[in-house]
Amino acid sequence: MKFWLCVAFAALFAAAVALFGNAYALTFTIQLFVFVVLAYSWNIIGGYTGYSHFGQMSFFGVGAYVGMLLMLNLKWHWLPAALGAGVLAIALAVPLGAIMLRLKGPFFAISMFGLTRVFEAVAFEWSDVTGGGTGLYLPPIGDQKPLYLALALLALGMLLLTRWIDNSRFGLKLQAIRDDEGAAEALGIRTTRLKVLAFTLSAVPPAACGSLFATHLAFLDPPTAFAPMMEVTTIAMVLLGGLGTVLGPAIGAIAFALMNETLWSRFPELYFGLVGIVVIVCVLFMPRGIVSLLVRLKLVAAGRGAFRRIAAVAERRP
């Protein structure tokens, strides 16, 4: 019940910004939706499956370029261009996942970071297509509200997808892989197939989101498409909100976005240092994120839905 109240409140807030917000509020919320999508996507593979990495911006950047090129060269509308970017992400993520997920721990994380840098280098060098360091430009769209609505629906879709994962057998199997992959295989769980599926689910939304964000900016260059700072910020949001939880990525994204805006406007010279201090303090005193604090205050239910149902069945047995 509390979950759906949170969803209803978020929907009302998004509608209020679209109807009554000024240009600044609209731009700020669009960026917030981008971070929510990225945080939830990373949480699938990093939080539930236990394969933390620094390569989420690979799919974000590739999707941004694919969407931009479809709009510029084939004159596609921005919405089908974003869908096209998502489809390409599936074709890219399946073979990449089958290869990269053979690595574990820091090897997987570093390899994915290297992959992002490879894509960035290709974008710089393939200047005939990508524009290189000069970048690509789109005619600005007049009304940002349809784009705002598309990003809002994508963010909501990621929230609902995460809730389904958290309450499904699929989610339980991912958590088994995270806790002990060898034991999961011994129990008959097809770990390779599930890991590739989770990797693909975490890759498609960033690609579509990258295309929509490039449309919002009406400009794209390699540092924007494959920004390492956005990668680190996304991970920090998940850790701040609560790793492997339903509401954690959203709470972390909102808290981080508000903190980011406040510190940037008041202390631009000390911004990065202050953000780092805040993140360190939160990790030290709330290692399980803000969600753990909300659980202690009984504002969020403890445990996952699937586990609670299993426990209820076990209690009814003689």
Side-chain angles (χ1 to χ4, degrees):
M1 186 65 180
K2 292 178 182 179
F3 171 80
W4 294 111
L5 287 175
C6 292
V7 171
F9 177 79
L12 288 174
F13 170 78
V17 171
L19 293 174
F20 308 110
N22 55 22
Y24 170 78
L26 205 66
T27 300
F28 173 80
T29 312
I30 284 174
Q31 293 175 344
L32 174 61
F33 287 151
V34 169
F35 277 120
V36 168
V37 173
L38 290 176
Y40 271 113
S41 302
W42 190 90
N43 192 44
I44 294 174
I45 189 69
Y48 283 98
T49 316
Y51 275 73
S52 302
H53 68 93
F54 296 90
Q56 198 76 345
M57 294 305 294
S58 298
F59 301 103
F60 182 89
V62 169
Y65 271 108
V66 169
M68 182 74 84
L69 292 172
L70 288 174
M71 287 182 279
L72 286 175
N73 297 334
L74 299 181
K75 308 303 179 185
W76 282 27
H77 185 267
W78 56 264
L79 185 56
L83 296 176
V87 171
L88 181 70
I90 297 175
L92 183 64
V94 171
L96 268 179
I99 297 170
M100 302 296 284
L101 288 166
R102 296 178 184 273
L103 303 171
K104 298 180 181 180
F107 302 103
F108 175 72
I110 294 171
S111 297
M112 289 300 298
F113 178 79
L115 181 66
T116 306
R117 304 284 66 84
V118 168
F119 283 144
E120 184 179 12
V122 170
F124 268 117
E125 296 299 326
W126 202 7
S127 56
D128 292 342
V129 176
T130 65
T134 305
L136 300 173
Y137 294 84
L138 276 175
I141 59 175
D143 188 5
Q144 293 278 346
K145 289 182 179 178
L147 185 67
Y148 171 92
L149 178 61
L151 280 167
L153 291 175
L154 183 57
L156 176 62
M158 290 307 300
L159 171 62
L160 297 178
L161 174 62
T162 303
R163 178 174 169 81
W164 173 78
I165 291 174
D166 198 74
N167 288 272
S168 67
R169 293 172 61 88
F170 173 65
L172 286 175
K173 291 177 181 179
L174 292 184
Q175 292 164 56
I177 293 172
R178 179 193 64 193
D179 295 336
D180 192 329
E181 189 169 338
E185 289 180 349
L187 290 172
I189 296 176
R190 298 180 177 178
T191 57
T192 301
R193 179 183 299 181
L194 288 172
K195 288 189 298 183
V196 172
L197 179 55
F199 186 77
T200 304
L201 286 175
S202 73
V204 175
C209 185
S211 178
L212 294 174
F213 190 59
T215 306
H216 166 66
L217 296 178
F219 166 76
L220 187 66
D221 66 349
T224 303
F226 303 100
M229 190 60 195
M230 185 176 287
E231 183 83 60
V232 174
T233 302
T234 298
I235 298 172
M237 287 177 176
V238 180
L239 295 177
L240 181 62
L243 187 67
T245 62
V246 176
L247 295 178
I251 293 172
I254 294 170
F256 207 96
L258 293 174
M259 177 183 66
N260 183 57
E261 197 70 14
T262 302
L263 295 179
W264 176 258
S265 61
R266 297 190 178 186
F267 310 102
E269 300 87 359
L270 305 174
Y271 164 70
F272 288 112
L274 292 174
V275 169
I277 291 172
V278 171
V279 171
I280 290 172
V281 170
C282 290
V283 170
L284 287 175
F285 293 96
M286 292 187 297
R288 296 184 180 179
I290 297 174
V291 167
S292 64
L293 177 62
L294 297 179
V295 168
R296 288 199 297 270
L297 296 175
K298 297 183 179 181
L299 297 176
V300 174
R304 295 180 174 85
F307 285 132
R308 291 195 297 271
R309 288 200 301 273
I310 292 172
V313 171
E315 288 176 358
R316 288 197 296 269
R317 289 178 179 174

